[in-house]
Amino acid sequence: MKPVAPGTVIYHRYRGYGVITAVNLLTGWISARFGSETRTLDLNLSSDEVQHADGEPILFRRTPPDRMPHARLMAMVRDLHEAGYQRLYLYSWPKPSGLHWRWHLFTGQRKWMERPWREGWYGSGADYNFDPVMGWGDTPGSSAQELASSLAKFDPHGLAQALGRDEDHSRWFASVCEALLPDYTFTLGWDICNGPAPSALPVIAVRRGVPDYAGPDLPWPPGWTRLWTGSTALVKPSARATSLESGTATDRFNEDQ
């Protein structure tokens, strides 16, 4: 089926040709404007017989869609690490509800709390739920390879800054991807009102209907435990989390930071 996104020309048997103005793939509803009408009309893709301009039916997928793009972003970052862009980092803090979350890609030095912000390299559920794209010229549901290609075309200068080696982080990231993809993602955020951060990396599902994560405990990113002191200090990693860390425990990248 062709992608459905704002700007897609559609045909409705009673309204004629129109243009989609908003999409919510979590519920299967779209908003569209027809002819010279100033108001938008809300349509349900499951029952309102909406078609593409060439007559191809638009049918809402019955299986639950991804509530968030973090799993595909993880796969993209892993592929770029393997291609030599190891100074590319994903700061991810989705919420279990799937409604309120963020993602942020950054390059250069691995400074989790002082991340450089680059236009187009971050997003939120508030935007994605109604326009399910990263904003790089990609299409809804693009694969990890397609996302990487779109990002390279969108901001080649920014991606070039990710060239370089960070073996500690890329090794950690590959092990996390191996344990979580394609059904789960990690979150670097937690509710500090509930006390100190957990000893293992928090994990949530990227779509509804997926059972709770039951795999091994995962370690936090290299250098992460040094960021927190006082009441929010991380406890020592559990034995299961430590066992997943490959290589030395020394974080050479952040040693002098």
Side-chain angles (χ1 to χ4, degrees):
M1 188 179 76
K2 298 184 182 71
V4 177
T8 301
V9 178
I10 60 173
Y11 178 79
H12 188 264
R13 60 185 302 182
Y14 299 118
R15 294 281 183 162
Y17 289 98
V19 177
I20 294 177
T21 59
V23 178
N24 189 333
L25 293 184
L26 292 178
T27 62
W29 285 85
I30 63 172
S31 296
R33 181 175 287 111
F34 293 88
S36 60
E37 297 180 12
T38 57
R39 294 184 178 180
T40 59
L41 179 68
D42 292 332
L43 298 169
N44 189 294
L45 296 180
S46 298
S47 58
D48 282 325
E49 301 181 16
V50 182
Q51 302 176 359
H52 284 283
D54 60 4
E56 178 182 335
I58 301 176
L59 302 176
F60 182 57
R61 183 175 58 180
R62 295 293 183 176
T63 56
D66 288 356
R67 295 180 295 167
M68 54 195 72
H70 298 70
R72 289 185 292 124
L73 285 172
M74 288 173 61
M76 182 198 75
V77 172
R78 178 186 59 186
D79 291 348
L80 288 171
H81 283 175
E82 294 174 353
Y85 296 86
Q86 293 187 358
R87 291 180 178 266
L88 175 64
Y89 308 101
L90 172 62
Y91 192 96
S92 169
W93 62 114
K95 300 297 184 181
S97 67
L99 297 177
H100 305 287
W101 47 258
R102 303 283 195 278
W103 59 268
H104 179 194
L105 292 170
F106 66 99
T107 62
Q109 290 188 320
R110 187 194 344 129
K111 293 185 176 180
W112 296 112
M113 297 297 103
E114 300 176 6
R115 308 181 306 275
W117 291 85
R118 196 174 184 91
E119 189 61 37
W121 287 58
Y122 50 88
S124 70
D127 299 324
Y128 184 85
N129 287 343
F130 293 95
D131 190 6
V133 294
M134 304 296 104
W136 309 326
D138 57 302
T139 57
S142 293
S143 66
Q145 293 75 22
E146 292 169 338
L147 285 179
S149 177
S150 298
L151 177 60
K153 294 177 182 178
F154 172 76
D155 191 353
H157 176 71
L159 188 58
Q161 297 180 32
L163 276 172
R165 298 175 61 183
D166 185 353
E167 296 178 356
D168 289 340
H169 177 267
S170 60
R171 185 165 48 243
W172 167 83
F173 197 85
S175 67
V176 169
C177 288
E178 179 67 23
L180 299 184
L181 297 182
D183 296 323
Y184 303 93
T185 187
F186 64 89
T187 173
L188 297 178
W190 75 94
D191 189 352
I192 60 175
C193 296
N194 293 332
S199 59
L201 188 68
V203 174
I204 63 175
V206 296
R207 66 182 65 86
R208 297 188 184 279
V210 176
D212 292 340
Y213 175 72
D217 289 346
L218 302 174
W220 292 81
W224 184 265
T225 56
R226 301 183 184 187
L227 299 176
W228 308 100
T229 58
S231 60
T232 57
L234 288 169
V235 299
K236 292 183 179 179
S238 66
R240 296 174 67 195
T242 304
S243 66
L244 286 178
E245 295 180 342
S246 57
T248 63
T250 304
D251 182 14
R252 294 187 300 273
F253 190 87
N254 279 347
E255 215 164 31
D256 299 326
Q257 297 179 9

